[in-house]
Amino acid sequence: MDYQKILNTIHEEISYPNAIGKVAAYIPELAKVDPKKFGMHLYCRDSEHYSFGDSQEKFSIQSISKVFTLTMAMQLLGESLWERVDVEPSGDPFNSLTQLEYEQGIPRNPFINAGALVIADVLVSNLKDPKKDLLEFVRKLTGNNEINYDLKVAESEKSTGYRNYGLANYMKALGNIKNDVEPILDFYFHQCSLAMSCEELAKAFMIFANEGKILGTEEKIISKKRVKRINALMQTCGFYDEAGEFSFEVGLPGKSGVGGGIVAIHPSQYSVAVWSPLLNPKGNSELGMAALEKLTTLTGFSIF
């Protein structure tokens, strides 16, 4: 498969001038990002790399970080984690309060904000320094010790994160947040502010395409069974109320973030990350969705 030729075709056929999306202006720091940025990086199981555009530039990965924290929480709690968070698609926006009321404080899945806050609570409960541990985990997956939090983005999220405070306090009232709300939100805002490039994200997500092992060293990070669970959740819940559309159009497990990034994996084949900060009405990267649909169309295969 000539992946570079395919990526070049995607770059030629999908471009900024044709997009109508908007950057995530509700987080002030994200509103400053150049809307013309567009990059893509594909990392193959044979260790080859293919890319175009702004694939080396770091950006705020936002909700893509929820896959990393879920992986860490599953390692800590195992199956008991699912007593506090469900595994069903939400069908609602990522920051919805409505479902929590109906479902007594048990978030529908770990990728909506409420679910990610429960996961953050688990990590704060079980780790001495969760912010440091998350950084070390991501740096290990990528082999890059320069990855860090964007503190301006973290502070920007904190200053406007009223709905997340509301979600955490509501779950605290219903007994599904065990710690004080402040350290939970502090960790959550930092995890969302992680700054990574498409190349770094593709490297980090290779463990989900490589049966839980770091490609190259083959060091086991997570069991094959848990990789299966995480990939299933990415397939059904990785794009909130657009998860069905992504499965229909692209056909790969993946995760999006309002920073404009999307990461997807084809088990035993590749991991791929794309970044364009222009978001569609559902909060997913407009050009990113189109690029990944084009990728599976041009290669001729998805997981289905």
Side-chain angles (χ1 to χ4, degrees), residues 185-237:
L185 270 296
D186 179 64
F187 174 71
Y188 178 72
F189 294 140
H190 276 79
Q191 77 168 69
C192 290
S193 79
L194 272 169
M196 297 176 69
S197 67
C198 290
E199 180 179 5
E200 290 160 352
L201 281 169
K203 284 183 177 179
F205 270 67
M206 180 51 79
I207 64 165
F208 305 113
N210 192 39
E211 299 181 344
K213 298 172 288 189
I214 294 177
L215 193 62
T217 67
E218 297 305 302
E219 179 183 353
K220 193 82 169 177
I221 299 297
I222 187 171
S223 71
K224 187 176 178 179
K225 177 182 177 182
R226 287 175 180 162
V227 166
K228 181 179 112 174
R229 303 286 189 232
I230 292 168
N231 286 347
L233 282 165
M234 285 199 284
Q235 187 72 55
T236 57
C237 308

Side-chain angles (χ1 to χ4, degrees), residues 237-257:
C237 308
F239 297 82
Y240 315 117
D241 46 338
E242 202 171 16
E245 181 75 11
F246 190 79
S247 278
F248 183 76
E249 295 288 348
V250 178
L252 298 175
K255 186 72 195 79
S256 63

